[in-house]
Amino acid sequence: MKIDLCQTNIIWENKKLNLQKAENLISESKSDVLFFPEMSFTGFSMDTDLTGEKDNFTVNYMQKLTVKYNKSAAFGWVYKNKEKAENHYTFIDSKGNILSDYVKIHPFSYSGEDKYFKGGNKINIFSYKNFNICNFICYDLRFPEIFQAASEKADIITVAACWPETRREHWLTLLKARAIENVCYIAAINCVGNIGGLEYSGDSCIIDPKGEITEILSYKEGIISAEIENDVSLHRKNFPVKQDRRKDLYKTLL
């Protein structure tokens, strides 16, 4: 499967211009699927009255693009119908079908996200091109339990983010740890540049099941295009750490 990780300098709270940028990337792509950062077309904004949708505008727009260009795409957007919003990440295939619509489980309370967003309560594992894929969002990366749950079936776990430069070492360290712990591919998609007054270094990357960074892009806008091999089961057979997990015991320790 060939994927594009689209590391974009998101135009702050300007959905129209960011969607135009997305269409340009989709129209030029030679890959099967494009992945965009968290809150792909607004930036990490708390102004949910401005960015939030109850009519699924962004999803509908992206469905038209995936069908028009015969490409699949995964992207972040904000749903709001009540007092608190939801931070979504949606995967749409080339026929316009929604294969996954994930709601960020862990709002980032340090930045006040929990005041404006409510957390989701489930993970979604779906099949695409003979891969089992699971999508997480940004702050979720700090909670290894959900990655262990996902990797019971997932070959690839994606992390779409607006992760600031000040904590880039955490980003890279945790991404590598999640790949090693779960013996799976991690595809991480971050934004880059000065967005809403914060600096982002990007560091979008692909990490293999051994924890090795095979592709990375830092400090500039661009695309990582890579071919992912369907070899996770082989890696797990060669180093069967997951079979030694004692899940029933762990439950008693919490």
Side-chain angles (χ1 to χ4, degrees), residues 7-197:
Q7 182 164 288
T8 53
N9 186 337
I10 302 170
I11 304 165
W12 182 244
E13 296 181 340
N14 194 321
K15 203 174 296 182
K16 180 179 179 180
L17 291 181
N18 288 308
L19 284 168
Q20 289 175 0
K21 182 185 291 190
E23 179 167 9
N24 291 337
L25 294 174
I26 293 170
S27 68
E28 296 171 0
S29 175
K30 305 298 182 184
S31 295
D32 299 306
V33 56
L34 299 90
F35 292 91
F36 292 89
E38 176 184 20
M39 296 190 192
S40 309
F41 312 123
T42 62
F44 188 68
S45 171
M46 302 300 174
D47 188 352
T48 58
D49 289 334
L50 174 65
T51 65
E53 304 170 2
K54 62 180 179 181
D55 59 357
N56 288 0
F57 168 81
T58 296
V59 172
N60 294 334
Y61 191 96
M62 292 297 287
Q63 283 178 309
K64 293 176 183 177
L65 292 186
T66 58
V67 172
K68 179 179 180 179
Y69 296 106
N70 194 32
K71 297 292 178 184
S72 301
F75 55 92
W77 61 286
V78 174
Y79 174 80
K80 186 175 183 181
N81 193 29
K82 298 182 179 180
E83 182 179 351
K84 284 193 176 183
E86 295 173 347
N87 186 342
H88 282 246
Y89 199 74
T90 301
F91 189 110
I92 298 177
D93 71 13
S94 59
K95 298 185 184 302
N97 299 312
I98 298 173
L99 300 190
S100 177
D101 183 30
Y102 169 72
V103 178
K104 188 178 184 180
I105 290 176
H106 302 97
F108 187 36
S109 61
Y110 181 81
S111 71
E113 184 181 4
D114 60 321
K115 296 177 182 178
Y116 303 95
F117 293 83
K118 63 180 181 180
N121 54 20
K122 65 178 181 179
I123 62 176
N124 301 322
I125 301 169
F126 60 98
S127 179
Y128 178 77
K129 299 285 185 182
N130 295 318
F131 286 85
N132 291 322
I133 302 174
C134 185
N135 303 136
F136 289 131
I137 301 175
C138 203
Y139 191 48
D140 287 334
L141 179 60
R142 294 185 181 271
F143 300 90
E145 297 88 348
I146 60 173
F147 284 76
Q148 286 292 344
S151 65
E152 288 294 308
K153 294 182 180 180
D155 308 303
I156 301 173
I157 300 176
T158 72
V159 183
C162 289
W163 194 288
E165 179 188 27
T166 53
R167 291 183 289 276
R168 70 184 299 244
E169 290 303 319
H170 293 194
W171 168 254
L172 294 169
T173 300
L174 291 169
L175 288 170
K176 292 184 70 174
R178 298 296 165 261
I180 293 167
E181 292 166 347
N182 294 282
V183 196
C184 69
Y185 285 95
I186 299 289
I189 316 98
N190 198 17
C191 55
V192 69
N194 187 302
I195 306 169

